[in-house]
Amino acid sequence: MMPDPSPVAVWGWFVVAALLMGAELAAPGAFMLWLGLAAAATGIVHLFVAMDWPYALLLFAVLGVAFAWLGRRLAARADADAADQPFLNRRAAALVGQAFTLAEPIVGGEGRIRIGDTVWHVSGADAPAGTRVRVMRIDGGRLVVE
Amino acid sequence: MSTIALNASTAIVAIAIVLLIFLMKMVKTVPQGYNYTIERFRRYAYTIQPGLNIVPPLFHRVGVRMNMMEQVLDVPTQEIITRDNATVAVDGVAFYQVIDAPRAAYEVANLNSAIMNLLMTNIRTVMGSMDLDQLLSHRDEINTRLLTVVDAAAISWGIKITRVEIKDIVPPADLIASMGRQMKAEREKRAVILEAEGQRQSEILKAEGQKQSQVLEAEGRKEAAFRDAEARERSAQAEAAATLVVSEALSRGNVAALNYFIADKYVKAMQAIASAPNQKVVVLPMEATALIGSLAGIGEIAKATFGEAAVQARRGGSGVPHVDTRQS
């Protein structure tokens, strides 16, 4: 196989990159973006290193997977930073660490507390009504308290 | 290249294509408000959260796309017989939220219909144990009881029933009519009672006023009587005092003065009688001689002036009381 120095192949990658990123803009799904980035990177590598198109394709695929991993890492960090609404759709998780007063006693490890106009079932050590309890973790739909 | 050569480049291309398919399969973006369960060999492995997720493409697949938002469940209208045998139509609404995606996905088949049936049977149970009046006035209690029961049952499905509300309780039309009548009668009764109360109050007030006025009048009369008596006493006192003064004057002075005054009065009275316009005939029911005799008073004065003997000589008797004023 002869190396393909033709610029068509090289610039072709950039065209592909632009198309992929355009597709990502049109339909955001955080999936085309990584392929677009991979295509652009492949084009850049291609500028300096002459290679056959199969190798370029392989490079493109590997870079795509790598960028996806990297993107996942970055997204995770962004998620950790974005403490704007940490408990969105996680109502029970929002209660962990908070303390409440028992309206009814915990008997046999089972009880109920009223929180914000609804009733939560709790499990924990037996305690009389009026005890302050702290939510430790969630167990299914129950709150485990101490 | 007319034929596909089984060489390195073909293999490389194949690998690249597989890699690209891997990439397509392994990137999973979960929208906010959903959790996806991931199954490994069709067995639940873990749950992925909203955002960008990388799922190993081999042997893994998305099991259930679970909606984690709070959802509304309309409970359709159903006929319920209350404890006092009234048939009412009841509908309601429930709100629930999935807390634990895998449980909600695998512990129960057809979550919505499960919750719905649970709700409907429990509405029957709770409402069937109450009277109609209680039903209409204790909605809060019904909601709380329903919530507690249904929520306890739904806990094992990893969901939280946040609230259950009874929307509408419709008794049969004839019952509504009689309830209306009852209410009207109740109001009428209150109005009549209030009217009677008002009348009673006004009568009492009137009587009170009358009593007060009578009391005041009597008090006035009593006061006046007291004053009258006082006036009489005062005038008697004045009379007494005047008499005292006169008798004192008499005792110090001469009785002839008194006689003079009496004679004067006699003459004045006679004059008044004589000059009365409607009297032409004057009947004098007394001895005229007495009147003349009252001149004895003048005689006395003369006696005092001219000496006793001269007077005695010309004297017969007189009708005027003879006041002896001789001092011994």
Side-chain angles (χ1 to χ4, degrees):
Chain A
M1 297 275 289
M2 287 289 291
D4 188 5
S6 80
V8 175
V10 177
W11 299 117
W13 283 112
F14 286 109
V15 171
V16 168
L19 284 175
L20 284 167
M21 289 195 187
E24 172 65 34
L25 282 175
F31 159 65
M32 298 288 194
L33 178 65
W34 315 122
L35 285 181
L37 286 174
T42 309
I44 290 167
V45 172
H46 220 307
L47 276 177
F48 300 105
V49 183
M51 58 172 91
D52 276 339
W53 66 265
Y55 291 98
L57 189 66
L58 183 63
L59 178 68
F60 165 66
V62 170
L63 280 174
V65 175
F67 275 129
W69 272 110
L70 275 172
R72 170 79 190 85
R73 300 289 299 275
L74 286 171
R77 191 164 306 160
D79 281 351
D81 290 347
D84 176 28
Q85 287 281 0
F87 296 119
L88 206 56
N89 303 112
R90 295 165 63 213
R91 205 170 290 196
L95 299 173
V96 172
Q98 294 195 44
F100 299 99
T101 308
L102 286 177
E104 305 165 38
I106 300 180
V107 180
E110 288 281 330
R112 289 196 296 257
I113 47 177
R114 278 199 78 86
I115 303 171
D117 202 32
T118 185
V119 179
W120 288 82
H121 289 255
V122 296
S123 57
D126 287 13
T131 316
R132 293 286 285 177
V133 292
R134 188 171 291 281
V135 179
M136 302 312 289
R137 57 193 173 81
I138 319 154
D139 171 28
R142 272 192 198 79
L143 306 174
V144 180
V145 298
E146 281 189 3
Chain B
M1 289 193 286
S2 56
T3 57
I4 297 175
L6 212 58
N7 56 15
S9 73
T10 323
I12 287 166
V13 169
I15 290 169
I17 287 168
V18 167
L19 272 177
L20 286 177
I21 292 169
F22 264 40
L23 178 62
M24 280 167 66
K25 282 285 176 192
M26 73 186 210
V27 174
K28 297 267 186 259
T29 46
V30 180
Q32 181 66 54
Y34 283 83
N35 279 4
Y36 292 178
T37 61
I38 300 298
E39 299 168 358
R40 186 185 299 124
F41 294 116
R42 302 303 304 272
R43 183 176 185 276
Y44 170 72
Y46 58 94
T47 308
I48 55 174
Q49 299 293 323
L52 178 66
N53 290 275
I54 302 289
V55 176
L58 288 173
F59 329 124
H60 290 73
R61 63 194 284 274
V62 173
V64 181
R65 292 172 166 79
M66 185 53 68
N67 188 344
M68 303 297 282
M69 303 179 225
E70 192 162 334
Q71 290 170 74
V72 187
L73 210 56
D74 252 316
V75 183
T77 310
Q78 53 175 341
E79 296 272 313
I80 289 171
I81 299 173
T82 59
R83 194 172 56 182
D84 50 354
N85 294 329
T87 310
V88 291
V90 175
D91 63 346
V93 62
F95 297 81
Y96 75 93
Q97 186 171 24
V98 176
I99 299 289
D100 197 342
R103 281 197 188 195
Y106 303 114
E107 284 285 355
V108 57
N110 208 342
L111 184 62
N112 262 14
S113 94
I115 298 173
M116 182 72 82
N117 281 296
L118 193 61
L119 271 171
M120 287 176 84
T121 50
N122 275 295
I123 286 175
R124 278 181 180 283
T125 309
V126 171
M127 291 196 156
S129 67
M130 287 179 148
D131 291 342
L132 179 63
D133 285 347
Q134 266 182 305
L135 219 63
L136 294 169
S137 56
H138 291 59
R139 295 241 185 149
D140 260 0
E141 196 192 313
I142 296 170
N143 292 343
T144 312
R145 272 174 72 179
L146 277 174
L147 178 62
T148 323
V149 173
V150 179
D151 190 37
I155 261 198
S156 53
W157 303 337
I159 65 167
K160 169 99 198 72
I161 313 274
T162 45
R163 54 195 334 169
V164 180
E165 301 274 344
I166 297 300
K167 272 204 299 205
D168 217 354
I169 300 175
V170 186
D174 52 349
L175 251 180
I176 292 178
S178 59
M179 276 152 97
R181 279 213 314 278
Q182 185 186 342
M183 192 197 74
K184 202 170 151 195
E186 187 71 35
R187 310 256 153 158
E188 293 268 344
K189 171 185 150 192
R190 259 190 269 168
V192 171
I193 286 174
L194 279 174
E195 244 168 57
E197 279 273 325
Q199 219 155 3
R200 172 170 164 251
Q201 287 277 32
S202 78
E203 293 287 340
I204 287 172
L205 281 173
K206 271 186 204 161
E208 279 276 329
Q210 223 155 4
K211 174 185 155 194
Q212 284 276 37
S213 78
Q214 277 172 357
V215 166
L216 284 173
E217 211 175 304
E219 283 210 336
R221 280 207 312 270
K222 175 180 155 193
E223 193 72 17
F226 268 98
R227 298 275 161 105
D228 277 350
E230 227 170 87
R232 283 226 306 278
E233 259 171 49
R234 287 283 308 130
S235 67
Q237 270 175 3
E239 198 94 25
T243 312
L244 202 67
V245 170
V246 169
S247 58
E248 251 182 32
L250 278 180
S251 69
R252 275 207 308 273
N254 204 323
V255 100
L258 188 64
N259 276 344
Y260 160 76
F261 277 118
I262 292 171
D264 187 46
K265 282 249 165 66
Y266 254 92
V267 173
K268 278 224 171 76
M270 283 300 298
Q271 190 184 356
I273 291 166
S275 67
N278 54 351
Q279 288 291 358
K280 298 297 172 214
V281 181
V282 179
V283 179
L284 287 178
M286 54 179 174
E287 300 167 68
T289 50
L291 176 63
I292 309 297
S294 73
L295 294 175
I298 304 161
E300 287 290 328
I301 299 166
K303 191 170 67 176
T305 316
F306 308 111
E308 194 160 355
V311 180
Q312 282 287 63
R314 295 196 299 122
R315 183 165 182 187
S318 75
V320 178
H322 179 70
V323 183
D324 191 16
T325 55
R326 276 174 297 181
Q327 310 287 321
S328 52

